[in-house]
Amino acid sequence: LPGDLVLARAIAEAPLPFAVKSATPVTLCAFDREQYFQTMAASTETRLGLRDYMFASHNDTNEMLTAIGRQSAVTRMSYLLLSLAARLCQRNRLIQNEIRVPLGQALLADALGLTHAYVNRVLGYMRRRGIVEVERSELRILDLDALRELSEVD
C-alpha cells in the first residue's frame, strides 16, 4: 500500500530469499546500506520510530496469519479487507467515503489461501449484502460496519 516500508529486512540481508510484487504502480526509494546504519546510529528518535513500525507490522502479520489459519473464508476476507481499509484510512486514501482496493480475485485467493472459485462465492455473498462492490480488478468497500461484524473483530 502507499507509504508502506517494504523490505526493511533487505538492510541486513542481501540477497533476499523472496520476491516482491506490486498490485499497483510504485515509487521505490532505495537506501544506501552504510548511510542507513549511520542515520540509525545518529538518531535515537528515528531508530525508535522504525523499531515501533516494525513491531506493529510484525504484530499485524501475526494477527493476519492467525485469522487466515483459524477462520472461515468470509471471516478471512472480511479481516483482510478491514486491515487494508484501516491502513488506507491512515494514509488519507478514502475516496468518496469508500475504500478502493486494486485487488483481483486471484490475488485475494493467494493472500487468503482460498481457491479462486471460493473467493468468487465470498465476494458474491458480500455483494448481495451491500458490503462490497467489485468491478474489474477494483474492489470498493461500501459498508465498514457490516464488514466488522463479519470479521468478528471488535
Side-chain angles (χ1 to χ4, degrees):
L1 292 177
D4 275 353
L5 177 62
V6 180
L7 305 179
R9 184 173 163 187
I11 295 296
E13 183 181 344
L16 290 169
F18 56 86
V20 174
K21 182 178 178 183
S22 174
T24 62
V26 298
T27 300
L28 177 66
C29 178
F31 295 94
D32 175 74
R33 183 172 292 182
E34 196 55 43
Q35 184 178 6
Y36 167 83
F37 285 125
Q38 288 173 5
T39 301
M40 291 298 121
S43 174
T44 301
E45 182 179 348
T46 301
R47 189 172 52 252
L48 293 176
L50 181 60
R51 180 204 64 190
D52 291 347
Y53 174 87
M54 290 170 67
F55 282 156
S57 178
H58 181 75
N59 186 51
D60 291 347
T61 300
N62 285 340
E63 287 180 10
M64 180 61 69
L65 289 172
T66 300
I68 288 171
R70 296 184 180 166
Q71 303 298 330
S72 71
V74 171
T75 302
R76 290 181 202 185
M77 178 74 73
S78 302
Y79 192 90
L80 175 63
L81 295 179
L82 274 177
S83 172
L84 292 172
R87 291 169 53 207
L88 287 168
C89 283
Q90 289 172 343
R91 292 164 174 84
N92 295 319
R93 305 293 277 196
L94 197 64
I95 301 170
Q96 298 174 350
N97 292 325
E98 296 177 355
I99 305 295
R100 296 171 187 255
V101 184
L103 295 175
Q105 291 183 17
L107 188 57
L108 289 169
D110 288 345
L112 296 171
L114 300 170
T115 65
H116 186 273
Y118 210 83
V119 165
N120 189 41
R121 282 193 291 262
V122 170
L123 290 174
Y125 171 77
M126 291 179 168
R127 270 192 302 261
R128 288 188 298 278
R129 292 188 66 182
I131 298 169
V132 299
E133 205 172 79
V134 181
E135 286 184 31
R136 298 184 198 114
S137 290
E138 183 175 86
L139 186 142
R140 287 191 298 272
I141 300 170
L142 305 174
D143 190 341
L144 284 170
D145 291 332
L147 201 57
R148 280 187 196 92
E149 282 183 31
L150 290 177
S151 72
E152 302 174 7
V153 172
D154 295 330

